[in-house]
Amino acid sequence: MNTIRSTWLGWGALCIAGGGSYYFAKRSINADRASRHEADMRRKRMTEQLEFNAMHETATKKTQHRATDHAASPSGEASEDPAPTEHRLAPEKTSKSKYEPKELYRAKKGDRFS
């Protein structure tokens, strides 16, 4: 038969076991998160370094390419024009299509249920 003392002892053991399992589970979860974060940061650093190396290689190739003749590649020569022309932007369209309202819809103020 359960007594008050055994009930308190049972609940106390249950609470202590639950708290201990929560502590160890939380520690494991935090360790997993930290390892995933470290892996993500390592992956980002590798990606940035690869991009930097690729940009550096293309920059060196461009400087080497400038020394060569562009007779075989007019488009390459045009992209290195010292003073490219700038085109003006088209003026904004002020007319509206037939599907756009002439006036914006304004909600009526007041009670909607009467």
Side-chain angles (χ1 to χ4, degrees):
M1 189 152 142
N2 291 339
T3 63
I4 296 293
R5 187 174 186 183
S6 67
T7 303
W8 277 103
L9 185 63
W11 276 105
L14 182 66
C15 290
I16 290 172
S21 63
Y22 173 80
Y23 172 77
F24 289 112
K26 188 71 172 171
R27 203 166 85 177
S28 172
I29 289 169
N30 285 342
D32 289 343
R33 284 182 183 164
S35 67
R36 264 190 274 132
H37 177 69
E38 185 63 35
D40 286 344
M41 296 304 290
R42 197 176 317 121
R43 193 177 313 118
K44 282 183 183 179
R45 271 186 264 133
M46 284 181 57
T47 304
E48 288 173 356
Q49 186 160 1
L50 288 173
E51 288 175 356
F52 176 76
N53 289 342
M55 286 176 31
H56 182 66
E57 287 175 6
T58 55
T60 56
K61 285 181 183 178
K62 281 184 180 179
T63 56
Q64 291 172 354
H65 182 65
R66 285 185 183 161
T68 62
D69 187 21
H70 291 292
S73 176
S75 61
E77 187 177 343
S79 67
E80 294 180 9
D81 190 13
T85 58
E86 292 185 15
H87 300 287
R88 291 186 177 208
L89 297 174
E92 299 235 358
K93 186 177 167 185
T94 56
S95 63
K96 293 186 177 184
S97 71
K98 64 180 182 178
Y99 299 107
E100 293 181 70
K102 291 180 177 68
E103 295 179 16
L104 293 177
Y105 174 75
R106 300 270 183 204
K108 296 177 183 175
K109 304 289 183 199
D111 189 11
R112 289 179 269 163
F113 299 113
S114 59

